[in-house]
C-alpha cells in the first residue's frame, strides 16, 4: 500500500490527503452533532425521571405513614342510630323515609326527595365515620336537583 501511495504524483497525494482531512472533519462534525442531540435528549429524560422519582418517594412516605397509622376503631354505637344521627346533623332527617337494619354492620336507607348535592355531602360525612356505601339506587325526580335514593351502608371492618 505504501508503494501505491508513493507511486502517485505529489499533487495527487496532496489532493487525496486534503480530501481525507475534509472527510475526517465532516465525520467528526456529524458525530459531534449526533452526540449533542443525544445528550440533550438524555438531559430531558433525566429531568423527567428525577421528577418521577420524587413522586415515588413521596408516595412511599405516604404509604409508610398510612401503614404506621393505627387501625380504624369501630364505633360502639349501633349503626342504625349512628346513620340516623348523621342524617339529622346533615339536615336530611325530614327527607329520610326509612332505615332498616339488616344486621349490626349493615343498614338500608331510603330517601323520598333529597337534594343530590346534600346526599353526596352526607355520604362523604359517613365515610369519615368509616361507613361506606355498598350499593345504591338513585332516581332523578321531576324537580331539578332532587333525587330519590335507596342505599345500603356498611360499617368498615378493621384490617
Amino acid at each position: 500500500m505504501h508503494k501505491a501511495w508513493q507511486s502517485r504524483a505529489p499533487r495527487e497525494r496532496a489532493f487525496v490527503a486534503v480530501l481525507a482531512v475534509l472527510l475526517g472533519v465532516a465525520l467528526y462534525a456529524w458525530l459531534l452533532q449526533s452526540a449533542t442531540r443525544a445528550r440533550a435528549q438524555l438531559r430531558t429524560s433525566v429531568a423527567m425521571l428525577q421528577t418521577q422519582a420524587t413522586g415515588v418517594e413521596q408516595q412511599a412516605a405516604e404509604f409508610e405513614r398510612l401503614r404506621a397509622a393505627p387501625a380504624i376503631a369501630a364505633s360502639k354505637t349501633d349503626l342504625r342510630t349512628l346513620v340516623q344521627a348523621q342524617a339529622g346533623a346533615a339536615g336530611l332527617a325530614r327527607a329520610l323515609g326509612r332505615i332498616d337494619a339488616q344486621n349490626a354492620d349493615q343498614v338500608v336507607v331510603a330517601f323520598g326527595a333529597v337534594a343530590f348535592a346534600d346526599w353526596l355531602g352526607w355520604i362523604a360525612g359517613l365515610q369519615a365515620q368509616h361507613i361506606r356505601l355498598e350499593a345504591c339506587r338513585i332516581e332523578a325526580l321531576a324537580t331539578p336537583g332532587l333525587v330519590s335514593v335507596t342505599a345500603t351502608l356498611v360499617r368498615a371492618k378493621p384490617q
Side-chain angles (χ1 to χ4, degrees):
M1 188 181 243
H2 184 62
K3 280 184 181 183
W5 178 254
Q6 291 300 327
S7 67
R8 303 270 180 210
R11 191 169 179 195
E12 200 176 312
R13 283 190 299 209
F15 179 73
V16 170
V18 168
L19 191 59
V21 167
L22 288 177
L23 185 62
V25 168
L27 181 62
Y28 179 76
W30 177 75
L31 287 174
L32 186 64
Q33 185 221 11
S34 181
T36 304
R37 188 176 336 121
R39 186 173 171 191
Q41 288 175 343
L42 287 174
R43 190 172 282 141
T44 59
S45 294
V46 165
M48 185 173 56
L49 289 173
Q50 286 173 334
T51 303
Q52 289 176 352
T54 302
V56 168
E57 288 172 357
Q58 290 172 345
Q59 289 173 355
E62 178 68 10
F63 179 75
E64 288 301 319
R65 186 189 67 76
L66 290 173
R67 179 179 264 172
I72 58 170
S75 173
K76 302 298 182 202
T77 308
D78 176 48
L79 184 59
R80 185 179 190 281
T81 306
L82 183 60
V83 168
Q84 193 164 15
Q86 290 294 317
L92 301 178
R94 60 177 164 61
L96 186 59
R98 64 180 169 81
I99 300 178
D100 297 327
Q102 303 296 312
N103 58 44
D105 293 325
Q106 182 177 14
V107 295
V108 175
V109 295
F111 289 94
V114 64
F116 185 67
D118 293 344
W119 183 78
L120 284 177
W122 181 65
I123 290 297
L126 289 176
Q127 288 176 345
Q129 296 289 325
H130 305 293
I131 299 170
R132 66 180 177 85
L133 184 64
E134 185 175 66
C136 183
R137 183 182 53 97
I138 302 173
E139 294 177 6
L141 299 177
T143 306
L146 291 183
V147 293
S148 168
V149 179
T150 302
T152 303
L153 303 169
V154 295
R155 187 186 318 259
K157 301 286 184 193
Q159 301 293 337

